[in-house]
Amino acid sequence: MKEHGRELKKAARRGSKADKAAEAERDVLAKIAEMGDSDRIMAERVHAVVTATAPVLAPKLWYGMPAYALDGKVVCFFQSAEKFKARYATLGFSDQAKLDDGPMWAAGFALTEVTPEVEVRIAALVEQAVR
């Protein structure tokens, strides 16, 4: 929670909207660069796919994780395996994502590798999430 508080304070101190957006993206890229090799490689690919598929999503840090927001609300995020001492990284979607499929649907996806096939699936999920 302390990390989230620092993120909010830092964002509030920034200047114009364009400055805030540019700095937020730099923060995301810096966080990705800090990750271990496996997580970093996947996070870089996820970042590339999300930003290419849905340019309306703004990169930002969310609880210390790379995230992508629409109108300030997080739609999806990358959760590092290393940070959470987990077996796999996760691509997660918030309740803002429009992934609804009947009375139950997936909101998180385990990632062990980002292959071209996985990139296609991520792109499709992100497209659906922002409709």
Side-chain angles (χ1 to χ4, degrees):
M1 289 302 269
K2 289 180 184 179
E3 190 169 10
H4 185 59
R6 284 192 298 272
E7 292 165 4
L8 293 174
K9 286 180 185 177
K10 186 175 181 181
R13 288 191 298 265
R14 295 182 181 138
S16 73
K17 195 172 188 175
D19 290 344
K20 288 179 183 183
E23 180 125 0
E25 181 157 21
R26 282 192 297 271
D27 291 346
V28 166
L29 293 173
K31 184 59 75 174
I32 290 171
E34 292 173 4
M35 294 178 184
D37 288 344
S38 177
D39 284 340
R40 181 182 42 74
I41 291 165
M42 288 189 290
E44 288 171 347
R45 293 306 315 141
V46 167
H47 179 78
V49 170
V50 171
T51 55
T53 302
V56 302
L57 293 179
K60 67 184 272 180
L61 286 180
W62 185 60
Y63 295 98
M65 297 178 285
Y68 305 88
L70 181 62
D71 299 326
K73 295 181 180 179
V74 170
V75 173
C76 61
F77 57 91
F78 178 83
Q79 190 173 3
S80 160
E82 182 180 27
K83 179 176 181 169
F84 293 93
K85 298 174 180 51
R87 188 167 58 100
Y88 48 79
T90 305
L91 174 63
F93 291 87
S94 75
D95 62 334
Q96 300 299 309
K98 297 176 178 105
L99 298 178
D100 307 38
D101 183 20
M104 185 173 128
W105 58 89
F109 298 85
L111 292 172
T112 57
E113 182 181 12
V114 178
T115 64
E117 294 82 16
V118 171
E119 288 181 6
V120 169
R121 185 144 184 230
I122 291 170
L125 287 166
V126 170
E127 271 183 17
Q128 182 180 352
V130 297
R131 282 188 202 162

